[in-house]
Structure formats: C-alpha cells, structure tokens
Amino acid sequence: MVAAGAADPLSGAAGPLAAATREGPAGTPGIYLHCLFCLRRCPYCDFNVALYREDRIAPFLDALHRELALYGREAWASRTAVESLFFGGGTPSLLEPAAIGGLIEAVARTFPVQPGAEITLEANPERLTRERLLGYRAAGVTRLSLGVQALDDRVLARLGRGHTAEEARRAFGAARAAGFAAVSVDLLYACPGQDLAGWGRGLAEVVGWGPEHLSCYALTLEPGTAFARRPLQDLPDEETQLAQYRAMVEGLGAAGYEQYEISNFARPGHRSVHNQRYWRGEEYLGLGPGAHSFLGAVRFANLRSQLRYRARLDAGLLPIESWERLSPAQRLGERIVFGLRLAEGIPRTWLAEGFAAAPATLERLLARYGEAGLLLAEGERVRLTEAGRLLADAIGADLLPAA
Ligand code: SF4
C-alpha cells in the first residue's frame, strides 16, 4: 500500500493516484490503446486526434511501448489477466499490421492475456484492403469495428467523411474475405441531409451484410467542433430523429439483433466484451495520448498533446495529466446511470444502497416509473422498458444516490 502523500516514482504523483498506479486493478481489466491519427478531422468529432503523417508514427509507437513498459515494472502487471484489448482512436487501421502486432505482443509480454481475449481494432474504410486485414488477423486481432456511418454519399460528404458508400461496402467484403468472423458496423442517424427513408435504406443494406454487431448513435453537436460552431440547416427535426431511432430498434430486433445497450445491438454471443466494461463500471487501463483509465476508485487521464505525452515518457514518468478519486456515492451513481443503459439493467440492491437514508423515496420513484411503463422492477433487478430507454438520462439522474 502506498501511503497517501508518498510520491510514486513512475507517475511522480502522490496520494490516491500513486496508490492506483502502484496497486493496479482489483479485478480483470480491459486495456485501451489510443491510436491518435486520422487522415482528416471530421467536423462532428471531439476525440483527441492528430493529422496522420508518416514521420509521426515511429515516435508515437515508441512512446506507447514505453508507457506500457512503465506499467510492466509494477508488481501487479504479471498477476493481472487481461480479457479485452481495444485499439481505438483516431483511426487505428492507419497503423500497419506489423505495428499492431508489435503492440499486441508487447501487451502480452506485460500482462497475461486470457486465452480467447477479445482484441478489437477500429477501422475506417479508407486503405482497408484484404491483404491489410489478413495482416491484422495474423497479428492477433479478433474483432473489427468498421466506421461506415452512412451509405449515402451525400450524407457522407456532409459528415466530412473521407470515404464513399462503395468503399465502405468493399471494406466490409474485404473483412469477410480476410476471415473476420466478428465485425461491428458503426452508423450515425440524425445526420444533416438524412431523412427517415434514407436512414432506413442504409440500415437495411447493412443488415443484409450480416454483421455480428452494430453501434448506432445519434449525431450530437459536441462543443468545440466545427458542426457546433456553424449552424446546420438540414438536420432532421426531433420527430424524424425519434422515428429513425424507432425504425432502428424495430428493424434490428426483427433481424435478430439484441439491443443489449441503448445504442448497441448484437447477435447472440457477440456483445462487445470491452465496451460492456465501461457500462458496468469495471476497471480499464488506457494508454496513449488523452486515454482515460479507471483503477480501484481512481479515474485518471493522460496528457492529450502528443508532444507533452512523449516528453513525460522521456523523463521516465507516466504521462498522467489529471485524476480524481470517486467517492463510494459517485461510483455507485455512475454504475446506476450507465447500468440502466443495459438491457440487463442493474441489481436492485444498488438502488437500495443509494437510497439507504430514504427508502420510501425510492419506492415512490420505482412505483411512479413503473406505472408510467418506463421501468420494470422484477425480483432482484431493475431495468428500463423500451419507452424508458428514451428517457434513460433523466431517469438515471432521478435514481442517483443522495450525495
Ligand atoms: S475518423 Fe473518427 S476519430 Fe477520426 S476525426 Fe473522424 S470521427 Fe474522429
């Protein structure tokens, strides 16, 4: 146990952050590697990305390996079995298969990786040939997450994407030809210039491809993005967005996909192991510029600037910029809010714990939402109904534990 106030030689930090990085996860964590580069910045994107340049790749990979090696010095690394590894970004598929393979090998040298662990690579259709995909498979990638977003070239252009619908079709075909048996497709609805019929056509075509998993999110105008700065004239109105959501739930349900999370759909046996960790409030370690981690009760984030990230590693220190220790009530609150997004819902005991001082209030809330057809409290679990999912954020906020 690192005493509160004692500085950690790896992070240079003291107190709870030092304890979290020295003691490691209590359970089996997921590992996230942030691959920073994209060919361009999409006007709706607020992720930490940098423009791809050939000469930036080697220093970036070197830094990522050094960050991993720092964690490898900790005693907990060798006793921590990893069940999921996720290459996110950015556009990880801009990295060569040999680079992805080198990182997978480095992770496996640092932490024992469970047999059959899920290893996901996010990919964009650009440059995604069968040969490249064969390389990723040979490197150990088991699951591909393909950023299709739309199958209408006019909508893709409005989204500032760098690929056409035809390139997305070819990329999915190439993934199958390379032998990927677990492919997830990302789609966006509520996009500029996208009506209900257009959304339905794209969705139906993707369903026809037969992916094992779909992630379908409504486009949001995140502060600081180009879309948030200049008003969009041709966004679908609220009624259309709702109709798009309903068409998605109905169409994907009829095609045999389970809506296991509000925006995520899977064929049996194909839920995302890694992303379920986030929704269940479980631990994960994030590596790379701007990556977030959650170990023990401490959440921390790496430096976002690749130069500052690398400079910290050059000094032999973990590149952590900020951290916070969640109180038991905050942690419980997060598990309630995210857990309610899942079809499996949450244990009723979590709510009982959060409302220990006001059990009558909890019973009143559960009765009110139950009567409104928004929530089901059955036996030991509480979950949202289909109607309740549309109000998940508001219901989650009501069910937060008292501070
Ligand atoms: S490709 Fe993805 S990560 Fe890159 S800028 Fe576009 S939305 Fe953001």
Side-chain angles (χ1 to χ4, degrees), residues 34-51 88-92 94 122 124 126 147 149 159-163 188:
H34 189 69
C35 305
L36 190 65
F37 302 101
C38 287
L39 293 173
R40 68 192 58 71
R41 180 180 276 283
C42 304
Y44 57 89
C45 178
D46 71 341
F47 296 160
N48 189 33
V49 300
L51 281 187
T91 307
L94 291 176
E122 285 188 339
N124 279 334
E126 302 98 306
Q149 313 311 353
L159 291 173
R161 301 289 296 179
H163 59 87
L188 284 171

